[in-house]
Amino acid sequence: MTSRVEQREQTRRTLVAESRRLFAARGYGEVGLSEIVRAAKVTKGALYHHFDGKADLFRAVLREVQDEVGRKVAAAADAHDDPWTQFTAGCQAFLSASTDPDVQRIMLIDGPAVLGWNEWRAMDEAASARHLAEALTDLMDKGLIARRPVKPLTHLLSGAMNEAALFLAESSDPDDLHDTMAALTQLLESLRTTDGT
């Protein structure tokens, strides 16, 4: 027999899962709360027990998507021992993960539109930019890239990768992913110290 706590958690997971499916398929603006509770087979009261409303529910969906992308990036980086390869593999994994239409819709298109630029940016920073800053700092400490202010470099690279992901979201040319990965590699290589020390 499941406890009330387990039932509440299951209801929350179902609401997030069904909302994610609907938001990914049609976009935030095209999905109503009535449709979400019908798909989740719960009442509006149950939804409001867990979330303040549709935007709060979207926030939970976005956080879940960001966490999944973060795990893919970390797994790609952790598959290598060399710090430079870890860094570049993680950046490339972000771009690859961002080619998923669900990720594009929720994380890159609806995210800033629904939550506003400032909140979306804060969530993006908490989810991925912090890790990027840590990786850049580590590479500087190891002498693999020249020492420079980390914060502006983090924002420049994060912005470039987010823009590249949006470009890929709108692309119908299968060569664009390969070309974008090559451009990203060149960009990252330009940061690397020439002597590798």
Side-chain angles (χ1 to χ4, degrees), residues 108-143:
L108 299 169
I109 297 169
D110 282 350
V114 172
L115 301 178
W117 177 251
N118 289 335
E119 183 177 354
W120 177 83
R121 195 164 161 254
M123 287 181 72
D124 183 58
E125 192 161 334
S128 63
R130 179 175 50 87
H131 300 294
L132 181 57
E134 290 168 2
L136 289 167
T137 301
D138 183 55
L139 291 171
M140 287 178 198
D141 291 344
K142 289 180 168 61

Side-chain angles (χ1 to χ4, degrees), residues 88 91-92 95 161 179-189:
T88 56
C91 291
Q92 290 171 348
L95 272 193
M161 287 188 283
D179 294 343
T180 303
M181 288 288 197
L184 176 63
T185 299
Q186 275 188 308
L187 176 65
L188 298 178
E189 284 293 335

Side-chain angles (χ1 to χ4, degrees), residues 92 95-96 98-99 104 160-161 163-186:
Q92 290 171 348
L95 272 193
S96 289
S98 299
T99 61
Q104 292 169 343
M161 287 188 283
E163 280 297 316
L166 283 169
F167 162 70
L168 292 170
E170 296 172 359
S171 169
S172 58
D173 186 341
D175 291 335
D176 281 344
L177 176 59
H178 175 269
D179 294 343
T180 303
M181 288 288 197
L184 176 63
T185 299
Q186 275 188 308

